[in-house]
Amino acid sequence: MNTWSKSVLFPIHPGTIIKGKWNRKEYVVKRIIGSGENGTVYLVALFERLYALKVSLVTFDLSYEINSINRLNKALGSILGFSVLDVDDVVIQGEVYTFYVMPYQVGITIEQHLYGKGQKDYTELFKQVIKLIDFIHNEAYVYGDLKPEHILIDTSTNQLSLIDFGGVTIKGEGIRQFTELFDRGSWKAGNRKANPHYDLFSIAMIFVQIGIGRNKLLKIFNQTRSLNEVYDIIPKIPSLQLLTPIFKKILQGKLLDSKEVINEIDNQIASNNKSKETTSYHWIDWLFNSSILLFLSLFIYFIYH
C-alpha cells in the first residue's frame, strides 16, 4: 500500500487503498480526476467497478454537498444523473478525513463535443443545458460553479451529466464555490447571491468561451472585464449567431429565469426557420418568373426567325 504525503492536498497515488472506517469498503485508486477548493476527486475501483470518490479536509462543506445531492437526487432521480453511493471516513496518519463515493460519469466535456460543430449543435446543446439546470432551480438550489469540465455528455446517448456539486447552494445564500471566468460577480454584472440568473450567466459565458476560444475570453477578462467587448465579438462567430440576442439579454440581466430562456430559444429557432422558408419561397418565385421570361423570349425569337 502507498503512503500518504501531507505536503500536498491528498496526493494519493494509483494503487493506494482507501478503506472506509465504518463501512469497511476498500477502494483502489486508479488516478486523480480533479481537485477543487474543498476536496479532490479520484477514479477508484470496487469489485472491478469504477466509481468517483471525493475526499475533503473540510467536513462541513462536504456534508453540505452530500445533503444537497441527496435532496436533489430524491426529487429528480435519473434526471440528475448523479447520486451518493457511500459516505465514510478514512484514517490517514492518525487523522480522520471524510469522503463520499458517486457513480463515475462516462462522457466528454461539452467543449470537446462542440469542437468543429455549427450553429444547430450549439443551439440544441445550449437548450439542453438550460433544461437540466432548470430542474435544479425548481428544487430551490443553484448549481454555482458551472464550467465546461463540469458538464459532460455521453456521445452514445446524448445525455448530459453534471459532475462536482461542490458549488451547489440553496437559493438566497452566498455562492459557495465559483470559477472567476464564469462568475457574474467577477464580470461586475451582479452579486454572488444564489439565484437562477447566476447559473444562466455562467452558462452563457461557457458557450461564449467555446465559441470564441478560451484565450480570447481570458484576454478580455484579464484586461478590461468589459461585457461590451463580448457583445461585439459574439455576432462575428457563425456558431453563436442564432444565440447572440439571448446571450446579450442574459449577460445584461434581462433574462432571469431558465424557463424564459427556453422560450426565447424556441422563438429564435421558429423565427430563423420562418426566415429560411421565406428565403426559399423568394428563390422559388424568382426561378419561376425567370423560367417564364426565358420561355417567352425563346417563343418570340422563334416566331420572328
Side-chain angles (χ1 to χ4, degrees):
M1 185 185 301
N2 292 311
T3 59
W4 177 288
S5 169
K6 294 187 69 175
S7 60
V8 182
L9 179 63
F10 303 123
I12 305 175
H13 305 289
T16 299
I17 295 175
I18 297 178
K19 185 175 182 178
K21 180 180 179 181
W22 309 108
N23 298 333
R24 313 304 293 174
K25 292 180 181 178
E26 296 185 356
Y27 299 95
V28 181
V29 174
K30 296 295 183 181
R31 61 177 174 84
I32 187 172
I33 294 176
S35 186
E37 290 182 17
N38 69 338
T40 305
V41 181
Y42 296 93
L43 178 65
V44 299
L46 176 68
F47 303 127
E48 299 184 354
R49 293 192 62 178
L50 295 177
Y51 300 93
L53 182 151
K54 183 171 185 177
V55 61
S56 177
L57 287 167
V58 189
T59 303
F60 175 79
D61 280 357
L62 209 63
S63 296
Y64 186 108
E65 186 175 335
I66 291 166
N67 290 335
S68 299
I69 294 168
N70 283 336
R71 179 176 168 182
L72 287 169
N73 191 60
K74 185 177 180 180
L76 302 177
S78 60
I79 294 172
L80 185 66
F82 201 88
S83 59
V84 175
L85 304 175
D86 184 23
V87 181
D88 211 332
D89 295 326
V90 59
V91 180
I92 305 294
Q93 296 182 352
E95 295 190 42
V96 179
Y97 301 92
T98 301
F99 69 86
Y100 75 87
V101 179
M102 57 201 126
Y104 174 61
Q105 302 291 352
V106 177
I108 58 176
T109 68
I110 58 170
E111 187 165 20
Q112 294 168 323
H113 176 70
L114 287 174
Y115 180 79
K117 290 186 168 62
Q119 179 175 263
K120 182 181 178 183
D121 292 292
Y122 271 74
T123 304
E124 288 177 352
L125 192 57
F126 179 70
K127 182 179 178 180
Q128 200 176 343
V129 173
I130 295 293
K131 279 186 171 182
L132 182 57
I133 288 297
D134 187 50
F135 286 119
I136 293 175
H137 293 170
N138 289 340
E139 299 304 320
Y141 279 97
V142 170
Y143 183 88
D145 193 17
L146 279 163
K147 48 188 171 183
E149 52 267 40
H150 283 175
I151 311 172
L152 301 184
I153 183 166
D154 185 337
T155 54
S156 63
T157 63
N158 282 330
Q159 184 174 353
L160 286 179
S161 298
L162 294 170
I163 61 171
D164 196 338
F165 281 67
V168 170
T169 308
I170 295 171
K171 284 183 181 180
E173 296 184 357
I175 291 293
R176 298 176 58 247
Q177 211 170 300
F178 60 88
T179 300
E180 279 195 329
L181 190 59
F182 311 109
D183 168 53
R184 183 176 65 186
S186 297
W187 284 93
K188 300 176 183 177
N191 57 31
R192 294 196 179 102
K193 187 176 181 179
N195 56 35
H197 179 259
Y198 187 89
D199 281 345
L200 297 179
F201 184 95
S202 298
I203 296 168
M205 274 300 181
I206 287 169
F207 276 80
V208 169
Q209 179 201 281
I210 295 172
I212 72 176
R214 180 174 176 82
N215 290 339
K216 190 170 289 186
L217 186 62
L218 265 176
K219 185 178 180 181
I220 295 172
F221 181 79
N222 291 331
Q223 291 181 352
T224 64
R225 304 196 181 190
S226 168
L227 288 177
N228 288 327
E229 285 190 56
V230 177
Y231 302 151
D232 290 340
I233 292 175
I234 299 172
K236 300 173 185 176
I237 309 301
S239 56
L240 299 180
Q241 285 178 357
L242 189 63
L243 294 170
T244 294
I246 297 172
F247 286 162
K248 193 169 183 179
K249 286 182 181 179
I250 291 173
L251 298 179
Q252 289 177 334
K254 294 178 180 178
L255 281 175
L256 303 174
D257 181 79
S258 305
K259 291 178 178 60
E260 291 177 355
V261 176
I262 293 168
N263 288 334
E264 287 278 333
I265 297 169
D266 289 338
N267 292 337
Q268 208 53 21
I269 292 172
S271 176
N272 188 58
N273 290 339
K274 187 176 181 180
S275 175
K276 285 181 180 178
E277 287 175 8
T278 303
T279 303
S280 177
Y281 288 141
H282 287 163
W283 172 252
I284 292 171
D285 287 344
W286 180 86
L287 202 59
F288 179 73
N289 292 332
S290 298
S291 63
I292 291 175
L293 288 172
L294 180 61
F295 174 78
L296 290 174
S297 299
L298 290 172
F299 182 74
I300 294 170
Y301 175 82
F302 284 118
I303 287 177
Y304 290 99
H305 293 78

